[in-house]
Amino acid sequence: MSIVSITLQTLLILMFLMASSGKLRGAKTPIEEFEKLRLPQWFRVVTGIVELVSAAALIIGYWYASWVATGALLIVLMGESWHKYAYKIHLKI
């Protein structure tokens, strides 16, 4: 792997670990954000778990390149499900 891809992968791992830890430990900001978006709190926990698993897959990707693709796929699926669920909620307004 090149230095640039390792650096970007490391930054992405750190970002996902920080985001997932806030959601999983019940920090004030994610709770308020999910309430503002009128999303249930179980969705916050599921999002935190998916972020944590994605970070783990990216960490394993340092040694096995196929795991980077798995982590990226989980990130894309999480974003898509977030969009679909949030869009569905806002259509009910």
Side-chain angles (χ1 to χ4, degrees):
M1 273 207 241
S2 71
I3 299 294
V4 174
S5 66
I6 291 173
T7 303
L8 291 175
Q9 185 175 347
T10 302
L11 290 173
L12 191 60
I13 289 168
L14 292 174
M15 199 170 65
F16 272 96
L17 287 175
M18 288 181 351
S20 69
S21 69
K23 288 180 182 78
L24 291 175
R25 67 182 165 84
K28 183 179 176 183
T29 304
I31 289 175
E32 290 174 350
E33 182 179 327
F34 275 74
E35 286 175 354
K36 180 181 174 187
L37 294 172
R38 296 186 318 193
L39 295 171
Q41 291 303 310
W42 65 263
F43 197 67
R44 173 185 54 86
V45 174
V46 169
T47 303
I49 291 171
V50 171
E51 287 174 345
L52 188 62
V53 170
S54 297
L58 291 172
I59 290 170
I60 295 170
Y62 285 130
W63 297 279
Y64 302 102
S66 64
W67 281 88
V68 173
T70 305
L73 179 63
L74 283 172
I75 293 166
V76 169
L77 289 175
M78 181 184 60
E80 181 63 25
S81 65
W82 171 270
H83 177 264
K84 294 272 187 201
Y85 190 80
Y87 188 70
K88 179 181 171 186
I89 294 293
H90 290 292
L91 278 179
K92 291 182 180 179
I93 298 175

